[in-house]
Amino acid sequence: MSGALVSDGLWERVAPLLPARAPHRHRYPGRLPADDRAALCGIVYVLRKSVSWRDVPAELVGCSGVTAWRRLRDWTEAGVWPRLHDVLLAELRRDGLLKMDDAAIDASHARALKGGSHTGPSPVDRARPGSKHHLILDRNGTPLAVSLTSKNRHDVTQLMPLLDAMPRVRGLRGRPRHRPRRLFADRGYDFDKDRRLIRARGITPKIARRGAPHGSGLGRTRWVVERTFAWLHQFKRLRIRYEIRADLHPGLLQLACSIICLRRLKNSF
């Protein structure tokens, strides 16, 4: 079962990034710690199935759900998931699969059943508490950067932070790439102030105007955003936010983005 949930390709990229564990005591050693790959298997199982951590089938994944949660906490605090994402983006660029000349940005809603930080009343769901996933991606729909805010935050508030959060993608000789040439967005990002800030970074804004008739042609580029959100929502844990801690849900979101990047690498063979 662990091989089906955590492929060799994913494990080979995650293993070098994991923090070293404390050396095991030789006298009175106690119970041996669970295997890291089994813990990753439990994390991916919850990400895909959205079961409670206590309901993770230990006989299938190789460890208890509580152990998997603790490793998720520790690895998130150690910054494993952003580094994993950087590694995969570099591989995609090396193989010519990253098209960063054009980028698109958008947001998606997720209900937050247990509250916590980065949650707020939804303006479109009878003020129920929720969060927003903000995503910027390349022309092929490859996730480049993600962020989490409360549901009542306007999409445009994350435009510049996401642009600044784009990693410096290596993979080729020369300077790392970290800026697109053009940025596509819908009418929710139509503010002249932000257009000026985008141009100041050497990026051409392609943002639909509010009040303008449909048929601007931006949909031919922006449809990849909806497809990528559909890919993310295949991971059931991202549809509804259960994690109260504000760092664990973005950690799962970044892990899902890395799995999407790994799929693109596999499909290129």
Side-chain angles (χ1 to χ4, degrees):
M1 182 68 178
S2 60
L5 286 174
V6 177
S7 65
D8 291 339
L10 178 59
W11 175 243
E12 289 169 1
R13 292 165 175 85
V14 172
L17 306 176
L18 299 181
R21 289 204 297 258
H24 200 62
R25 295 177 300 177
H26 294 285
R27 189 179 184 186
Y28 309 117
R31 188 169 59 182
L32 292 174
D35 180 66
D36 282 338
R37 184 165 183 172
L40 180 60
C41 182
I43 294 170
V44 174
Y45 186 88
V46 171
L47 179 61
R48 289 182 173 172
K49 305 293 184 181
S50 193
V51 301
S52 167
W53 291 100
R54 295 189 179 276
D55 292 334
V56 172
E59 66 279 3
L60 292 179
V61 304
C63 72
S64 70
V66 175
T67 297
W69 182 89
R70 288 173 180 157
R71 298 288 172 84
L72 171 66
R73 175 199 62 195
D74 296 342
W75 295 345
T76 300
E77 292 174 352
V80 170
W81 313 124
R83 285 185 285 147
L84 173 63
H85 193 198
D86 290 348
V87 167
L88 289 163
L89 288 176
E91 291 187 37
L92 286 167
R93 188 177 181 219
R94 179 198 64 197
D95 294 346
L97 300 173
L98 202 62
K99 306 298 182 183
M100 291 182 63
D101 282 349
D102 292 336
I105 188 172
D106 209 342
S108 176
H109 298 260
R111 289 189 61 191
L113 296 185
K114 297 183 179 180
S117 57
H118 295 311
T119 62
S122 170
V124 295
D125 192 17
R126 293 182 289 182
R128 291 173 177 168
S131 300
K132 270 187 180 180
H133 301 150
H134 302 265
L135 178 66
I136 187 168
L137 40 79
D138 79 336
R139 188 179 184 87
N140 293 327
T142 305
L144 299 174
V146 292
S147 67
L148 179 74
T149 67
S150 59
K151 208 167 185 178
N152 57 338
R153 290 289 299 276
H154 198 285
D155 294 355
V156 77
T157 61
Q158 290 300 296
L159 194 157
M160 304 315 299
L162 271 181
L163 274 178
D164 294 338
M166 287 180 61
R168 296 180 177 272
V169 183
R170 301 182 182 275
L172 294 176
R173 294 182 63 182
R175 299 173 65 180
R177 183 76 184 272
H178 72 290
R179 287 284 187 268
R181 296 181 187 275
R182 293 168 292 274
L183 179 66
F184 292 80
D186 62 19
R187 290 166 175 80
Y189 299 86
D190 179 23
F191 293 90
D192 290 336
K193 173 187 173 182
D194 295 284
R195 280 189 171 87
R196 290 193 296 270
L197 292 173
I198 293 172
R199 290 192 180 96
R201 286 164 170 77
I203 304 169
T204 302
K206 298 287 186 179
I207 303 174
R209 291 284 185 181
R210 283 173 289 182
H214 290 276
S216 62
L218 296 182
R220 289 176 296 182
T221 303
R222 287 198 63 263
W223 67 271
V224 296
V225 181
E226 304 301 332
R227 185 184 64 179
T228 302
F229 274 124
W231 288 341
L232 287 174
H233 292 162
Q234 289 177 353
F235 299 95
K236 296 180 181 179
R237 193 70 173 191
L238 301 181
R239 299 179 189 174
I240 299 177
R241 177 182 167 185
Y242 292 94
E243 285 71 34
I244 297 177
R245 287 182 49 162
D247 58 340
L248 296 188
H249 189 79
L252 292 173
L253 185 60
Q254 289 170 333
L255 175 57
C257 289
S258 296
I259 293 175
I260 291 173
C261 292
L262 184 60
R263 287 176 184 169
R264 294 215 60 238
L265 282 170
K266 289 181 176 179
N267 292 338
S268 66
F269 297 147

